[in-house]
Amino acid sequence: MNFRKSAYLLALGVSLMALPSCKKYLDYQSPSKLNTEQTFEDVNYTNSAVIGIYTRLCGSNAYGNQLSVYFHLGTDEFVYRGSTSFDGGADYAIPNYGAIPTHSGMYNAFVQLYSGIERANIACKFIPSSNLYKNGTADQQKQMRRYYGEALSLRAQFYYELIRNWGDVPATFVPAADLSSQFLAHSNRDSTYDRILDDLKMAAELLPWRDEQSDYGSYRWTKAAAKALRARIALARGGYSLRTDTKLMERRADYQKYYQIAFEECNDIIKSKKHGLNPVYENIFKSLHSGTARFDNTYELLFEVAMWGQINDSNVGSANGLTFSSSPSWGGAGGRSTAVPTYFYEFENGKDVRRDVTLATYKVQADPTGAINQKILVSSINFNINKFRKSWTAFDGKVTGTYGVNWPIIRYADVLLMYAEAANELGTAGEISALDALQQVQKRAYGANALPATPTDKDGFFKAIVKERLLEFGGEGVRKYDLIRWNLLAEKIAETKTKMGLFATGAPADNNPYANLPQYIYATANNFLNTDLKTEAAGLSVYGGVPDSVFFKPMTVTTNPSGYPSRLWWRQETGTWTNGVLTSSFINDPNNGYVSKFVANKKELLPYPERVIIENRGGIVQNFGYTN
């Protein structure tokens, strides 16, 4: 049985039953006794069937783990390190560009994305052909149009995820039962992109704005979300990708056509004034951690995958984020991915609030009595993603299994920066200027501080966009795919290795920005307050002054001050005092080093799962980066 048929049977048996695995979607009735045609002749049952499509975004095989924790890592922001003996089937293999075709997590993600497509294909066939869609009451037709727009948007999201990870994936837009053959060959990604761009154009016409949707909570597609996704996909379509025919990173000659689409869609969202930037950056991410209270009153989150709750198949809250180690309040959690150590120094010290929201420089643990939550500084190679943390949830240390935190798909900040990028490329302006769009994002980050100077020439402005997106979206699954569509992944990986080499030695070489950093920092544990992240980071107990000062100047003492154990800073904790171990281990080790298996013009795409190739009986050929 091939993967398409497997997806079809799963969709037919489950989508119409609407057995959601996501807690946000559990309040809907199940049409399990009905056949397909009957389901889509009832508004409530149609809603349940559409909810069944949403659930394919959730769980450990999608944005609950694989797509949120592993697939997007391996850039100049966050990584997930390997082991001494590299295993291409292990979790860390994907972010280190060394996944092998038998990688089980990769196969599971691939199949789940297709099961979502199959469910969407069923809905996209039967909703517009239903009597309710054509002849129902005005309210029924309005609801059915909305559900059709949601199904189109969901299908586009599934295909986008497949294409950006595997390239020319098979594409079909009808249910598997309507296909003459279940064994599909590759589809040209440009054609698939064009189709889903058309679908999203239609979806945006069908869907309401968020304030026209009484149950809006950023958990279901709206007009703005569909437009934003269309802009994101248009930039991917107009960007670079690894081509199977030439075996090179290339973009098509008509790429500006797609920048125009992105510009127009983002301009429409900006003009609508339905969404805005959250004035408090960390509140965007707090909002992902609660099933009731919201911290995003400006509706910056256009779309998020709803997984809040103890659902036992999501790692966004339990494995990713700030490390909790035997905390008396929260138990254990977090720590899965780590930051590139130089990422910390990309943010302007003391000015950019995003640094302390994005990077956790400490972990939470019990005090010696086991009764108090304490925080303690970690070494520079052990910073975690700080945007996800168990202490923002309602789950204490007694919770067993995993628990869900919503995953952000697209934010209004992305709309502004996509707009700025497209406007700069096209040399045009709409509702606002490209510079205004960029600086709206920067003003939130810098507050009353002066903004960084932005070049006015096209190339200089583009480089400013590249930097700003690094700072704005750290750990949110954006950076890797930005660098690929810009054809900057190999360049940024090489640049990051160079930076880490300078950081590891602290040598006073020409233009070494890390020459005056401390080799080690003296720190002691103190109370974890679970307060705002800037205050929490500033309250770390370090010897010699406040953290923002200590982290940026040489340490003048050479012996441990009383009560302050040492933390190696630009040297790894387990390293020696005489060797810059980052040079030999973190950076260059062929198995355990930074993105150790990356090869330009080969590893920008993942290998097709071996089981998919076998089950499809030769219709799918392995991506060339993984064949001899």
Side-chain angles (χ1 to χ4, degrees), residues 356-404:
D356 295 333
V357 177
T358 303
L359 294 162
T361 56
Y362 52 89
K363 65 180 179 180
V364 177
Q365 61 189 22
D367 75 330
T369 71
I372 298 174
N373 298 295
Q374 292 190 325
K375 63 191 175 195
I376 182 67
L377 180 73
V378 296
S379 65
S380 61
I381 65 165
N382 290 314
F383 296 169
N384 295 135
I385 296 173
N386 209 24
K387 293 175 177 177
F388 311 104
R389 46 177 52 209
K390 194 176 183 182
S391 60
W392 279 344
T393 74
F395 304 113
D396 60 23
K398 298 177 182 178
V399 171
T400 59
T402 58
Y403 53 89

Side-chain angles (χ1 to χ4, degrees), residues 236-425:
R237 171 66 172 89
Y240 289 84
S241 60
L242 181 57
R243 299 291 174 175
T244 55
D245 52 351
T246 64
K247 299 180 174 57
L248 295 172
M249 292 288 295
E250 294 178 338
R251 69 175 174 186
R252 300 311 189 202
D254 63 348
Y255 70 93
Q256 286 198 339
K257 167 185 174 182
Y258 298 95
Y259 275 78
Q260 184 67 38
I261 292 173
F263 171 81
E264 291 172 359
E265 296 293 13
C266 292
N267 193 50
D268 283 351
I269 298 169
I270 293 168
K271 283 196 301 183
S272 77
K273 295 180 170 56
K274 305 291 186 182
H275 298 268
L277 293 174
N278 193 316
V280 181
Y281 184 67
E282 76 174 74
N283 281 354
I284 304 165
F285 310 102
K286 275 187 175 180
S287 184
L288 301 169
H289 288 66
S290 173
T292 52
R294 288 187 54 78
F295 298 88
D296 186 28
N297 295 328
T298 57
Y299 309 104
E300 176 162 350
L301 285 159
L302 274 69
F303 184 68
E304 59 193 276
V305 178
M307 295 182 290
W308 186 88
Q310 192 176 0
I311 60 176
N312 295 318
D313 63 353
S314 172
N315 276 336
V316 175
S318 59
N320 217 19
L322 174 65
T323 295
F324 291 84
S325 178
S326 300
S327 158
S329 297
W330 298 285
R336 189 63 57 90
S337 56
T338 55
V340 173
T342 52
Y343 186 31
F344 179 87
Y345 290 96
E346 297 294 336
F347 298 88
E348 285 202 47
N349 184 38
K351 296 181 180 181
D352 193 332
V353 301
R354 294 172 296 192
R355 186 193 68 190
D356 295 333
V357 177
T358 303
L359 294 162
T361 56
Y362 52 89
K363 65 180 179 180
V364 177
Q365 61 189 22
D367 75 330
T369 71
I372 298 174
N373 298 295
Q374 292 190 325
K375 63 191 175 195
I376 182 67
L377 180 73
V378 296
S379 65
S380 61
I381 65 165
N382 290 314
F383 296 169
N384 295 135
I385 296 173
N386 209 24
K387 293 175 177 177
F388 311 104
R389 46 177 52 209
K390 194 176 183 182
S391 60
W392 279 344
T393 74
F395 304 113
D396 60 23
K398 298 177 182 178
V399 171
T400 59
T402 58
Y403 53 89
V405 170
N406 291 359
W407 178 252
I409 292 292
I410 200 156
R411 304 198 267 116
Y412 185 68
D414 203 354
V415 172
L416 288 171
L417 292 179
M418 288 191 296
Y419 173 89
E421 180 184 345
N424 179 61
E425 176 61 40

Side-chain angles (χ1 to χ4, degrees), residues 1-11 107-118 159 162 168-172 176 179 182-186 608-620:
M1 180 182 294
N2 66 75
F3 79 97
R4 287 286 307 160
K5 191 172 182 181
S6 298
Y8 166 68
L9 293 176
L10 180 64
Y107 171 81
N108 293 335
F110 190 91
V111 170
Q112 179 152 321
L113 290 168
Y114 271 104
S115 73
I117 289 169
E118 179 57 26
Y159 269 126
L162 284 160
D168 293 330
V169 296
T172 179
L179 295 172
Q182 298 298 314
F183 306 106
L184 303 177
H186 298 274
Y608 282 98
E610 184 178 80
R611 287 177 60 186
V612 167
I613 294 174
I614 294 171
E615 291 165 356
N616 210 49
R617 298 184 183 178
I620 296 177

Side-chain angles (χ1 to χ4, degrees), residues 596-616:
S596 57
K597 304 300 181 181
F598 178 75
V599 180
N601 291 305
K602 282 193 174 183
K603 297 300 182 73
E604 289 86 355
L605 294 174
L606 292 172
Y608 282 98
E610 184 178 80
R611 287 177 60 186
V612 167
I613 294 174
I614 294 171
E615 291 165 356
N616 210 49

